[in-house]
Amino acid sequence: MNSDIIIIGAGPGGYETALYAAKKGLSVILFEERRAGGTCLQEGCIPTKCFCRSAEVADTIAHCEAMGISTATPTIDMARVVARKNEVVGQLTAGIEFLLKHKLITYLPERAELIDAHTVKSASGETYTARHILIATGSTAKIPPIAGSNLPGVVTSTQLLDIDHIPSRLCIIGAGVIGLEFASIFRSFGSTVTMLEFAKEILPNFDTDISKRLKQVLAKRGIEFFNQAGVNSIESNGSGMTIHYTWKNQEHTVEADTVLIATGRAPRVEGLGLDTVGIHYSPKGIETDDNLQTNVPDVYAIGDVNGRCMLAHAASFQGRKVIDHLLGEESHIDLNIIPSAVFTHPEAGMVGLTEEECKQRGIAFTAKKSLFRANGKAVSMGEPDGLCKLIADENGSIIGGHIFGAHAADLVQEISALMNRATTVAQLKEMVHAHPTLSEVLQECAREF
């Protein structure tokens, strides 16, 4: 079978690119060895947000007396939490598979491997050709070489999403986005949570003002943090597990019933035939240029597999950029402006440059802050913990935005939109915001300049 483009992987990057290409009149063959939706839908973004919502409801009930409402202490039914998650995932998966019935899309639920720059072979032995091939195979959980990491009870985020009970003691190795979200969730569910992070701060890629304040708030919720901690081994002790780690040049241990390894993701490059075709790649992912093209003409790579930005929406827009490039159409997508968020309680969000990055690059900048406790909506919601930080260059253009607090994931999108239109803080000051809303923290921050 021949087509205009073959896409390997039907995660957000793959399936949305297939739909976009079909809309543009291109014929597509789309391969996926698991289920449509990829890591994001099956074991990442969507399932964790289902858990986040259950945790949020539990927190709301637990603190409802402060709002003048009396009710019984909530009981978490973990089986029902997981069942609801599965229902949501199933519904969304079915929706994607329905969309892929487009007349220009041939969806094949099987593995594919490159034979040459225009040909792939499916797991069933069939060969398919196309003018262009797009690799969108995503990533897998990265497991560090820790002795005992294969013990029962040591899990990845995928396995934790199907757990049938609430661990009494949960130890999380890695305080990045994945680790923090599960720490927040299971603390709300009632687990005692300990976090071991090798880096100096949690969320190493976030602005330090945000990461430090978020850590303080999560610590107040009872989550225990050990930064600059190196995990040495994990062993069974009869009643659970003992985690041995080095902290402040001394050996320490922590006891846990479940250990979550959340030390990041690795590009999924095995079995793709990259060496056969001569495509350059490294442990960081498949190497691509600004058009997401590999060193082999007509072969492209998007999303987690190229290691540029491991976010679902980054993959989707990288795919759109590839299709525009193939069609010779001008693209206005700026892949340097990609918002990201952490769905802890409270949330954190960021877009653009941090103060640290500005200093490293020698960029002249000004940074100002505003606090949620001065925002009427935040106080009325009972969510006064929060901070908004805007960074502007010497011309006053917004080049970075960082928020932690209620609905930070939504609020950071306004900053992203403003940055895409090269908005200045002076212009933001003049934009009318509804009152009372959380978005007023952005305008208040702009008024500090």
Side-chain angles (χ1 to χ4, degrees):
M1 180 182 290
N2 184 49
S3 64
D4 292 317
I5 183 168
I6 289 173
I7 301 175
I8 304 175
Y15 85 78
E16 290 198 18
T17 302
L19 293 170
Y20 184 67
K23 186 177 180 180
K24 294 284 188 176
L26 299 177
S27 58
V28 181
I29 299 174
L30 175 64
F31 289 92
E32 174 54 59
E33 64 175 327
R34 299 178 296 167
R35 295 294 304 276
T39 297
C40 173
L41 175 54
Q42 302 300 330
E43 55 196 51
C45 315
I46 301 304
T48 55
K49 299 305 99 60
C50 290
F51 274 30
C52 284
R53 177 55 179 159
S54 294
E56 181 184 22
V57 172
D59 284 339
T60 299
I61 295 172
H63 298 93
C64 67
E65 286 193 7
M67 299 295 172
I69 301 170
S70 297
T71 188
T73 301
T75 300
I76 311 297
D77 182 345
M78 201 62 209
R80 184 67 193 107
V81 170
V82 172
R84 176 181 176 273
K85 177 265 296 183
N86 292 337
E87 290 166 5
V88 171
V89 170
Q91 176 184 338
L92 294 176
T93 301
I96 293 170
E97 291 174 344
F98 175 79
L99 292 174
L100 293 178
K101 293 180 180 179
H102 193 287
K103 63 181 180 180
L104 290 177
I105 299 174
T106 300
Y107 177 52
L108 300 174
E110 56 181 319
R111 187 178 181 84
E113 178 181 345
L114 278 76
I115 302 301
D116 59 42
H118 300 278
T119 310
V120 304
K121 187 177 186 178
S122 71
S124 59
E126 298 293 325
T127 58
Y128 301 83
T129 61
R131 287 187 294 163
H132 310 284
I133 294 176
L134 178 63
I135 302 170
T137 48
S139 62
T140 59
K142 187 187 297 181
I143 307 298
I146 300 172
S149 60
N150 60 343
L151 289 171
V154 180
V155 300
T156 65
S157 58
T158 300
Q159 296 162 320
L160 193 57
L161 284 166
D162 284 323
I163 195 167
D164 60 3
H165 64 283
I166 299 170
S168 175
R169 302 165 299 173
L170 174 64
C171 177
I172 300 177
I173 302 173
V177 174
I178 297 171
L180 286 171
E181 288 188 355
F182 278 108
S184 181
I185 289 166
F186 278 90
R187 184 65 193 126
S188 297
F189 288 168
S191 298
T192 297
V193 181
T194 303
M195 303 203 74
L196 304 177
E197 168 58 50
F198 187 76
K200 184 178 180 180
E201 299 291 346
I202 67 170
L203 293 175
N205 296 325
F206 271 60
D207 188 275
T208 54
D209 267 338
I210 300 300
S211 60
K212 286 180 179 178
R213 289 173 185 258
L214 179 59
K215 180 180 175 181
Q216 291 172 356
V217 174
L218 294 178
K220 288 180 182 178
R221 290 184 54 201
I223 298 172
E224 191 171 19
F225 291 91
F226 294 94
N227 284 80
Q228 296 181 293
V231 179
N232 303 316
S233 64
I234 306 168
E235 63 180 7
S236 296
N237 60 20
S239 61
M241 284 170 286
T242 301
I243 300 90
H244 298 264
Y245 64 98
T246 303
W247 183 62
K248 293 186 176 181
N249 298 317
Q250 293 184 341
E251 299 301 310
H252 298 267
T253 61
V254 61
E255 307 295 314
D257 305 299
T258 301
V259 177
L260 168 64
I261 295 183
T263 50
R265 309 272 307 172
R268 192 190 300 271
V269 296
E270 297 79 11
L272 289 174
L274 301 182
D275 293 323
T276 301
V277 183
I279 294 173
H280 295 168
Y281 67 98
S282 72
K284 294 181 180 179
I286 296 174
E287 298 174 11
T288 59
D289 63 16
D290 289 341
N291 291 313
L292 294 313
Q293 189 171 29
T294 70
N295 63 294
V296 175
D298 295 324
V299 180
Y300 296 75
I302 63 168
D304 288 8
V305 76
N306 67 29
R308 284 173 168 249
C309 181
M310 288 190 170
L311 295 170
H313 45 287
S316 300
F317 279 86
Q318 286 177 9
R320 293 174 68 95
K321 193 173 181 70
V322 168
I323 299 304
D324 289 343
H325 172 69
L326 296 181
L327 295 174
E329 296 181 359
E330 185 178 5
S331 174
H332 298 286
I333 298 171
D334 188 342
L335 295 177
N336 293 312
I337 304 176
I338 299 179
S340 61
V342 189
F343 293 87
T344 46
H345 183 197
E347 297 176 352
M350 68 165 288
V351 63
L353 299 176
T354 65
E355 280 199 53
E356 293 77 15
E357 288 173 325
C358 288
K359 292 173 183 175
Q360 291 169 2
R361 300 183 189 186
I363 298 172
F365 71 95
T366 302
K368 298 292 183 181
K369 307 170 190 175
S370 61
L371 300 175
F372 274 50
R373 65 170 174 258
N375 178 273
K377 182 66 180 294
V379 174
S380 66
M381 291 170 61
E383 298 279 1
D385 289 318
L387 167 75
C388 173
K389 178 192 228 179
L390 292 177
I391 300 174
D393 64 17
E394 56 189 350
N395 298 315
S397 294
I398 302 170
I399 58 174
H402 309 275
I403 306 176
F404 101 88
H407 298 283
D410 301 309
L411 294 172
V412 79
Q413 185 57 46
E414 179 179 346
I415 304 174
S416 180
L418 295 173
M419 288 175 60
N420 270 282
R421 291 297 174 263
T423 306
T424 65
V425 287
Q427 290 170 324
L428 175 54
K429 291 178 190 179
E430 305 300 324
M431 296 179 182
V432 178
H433 284 62
H435 174 77
T437 61
L438 293 174
S439 66
E440 289 176 289
V441 297
L442 304 178
Q443 193 167 60
E444 288 301 320
C445 193
R447 287 172 180 166
E448 294 295 319
F449 283 85

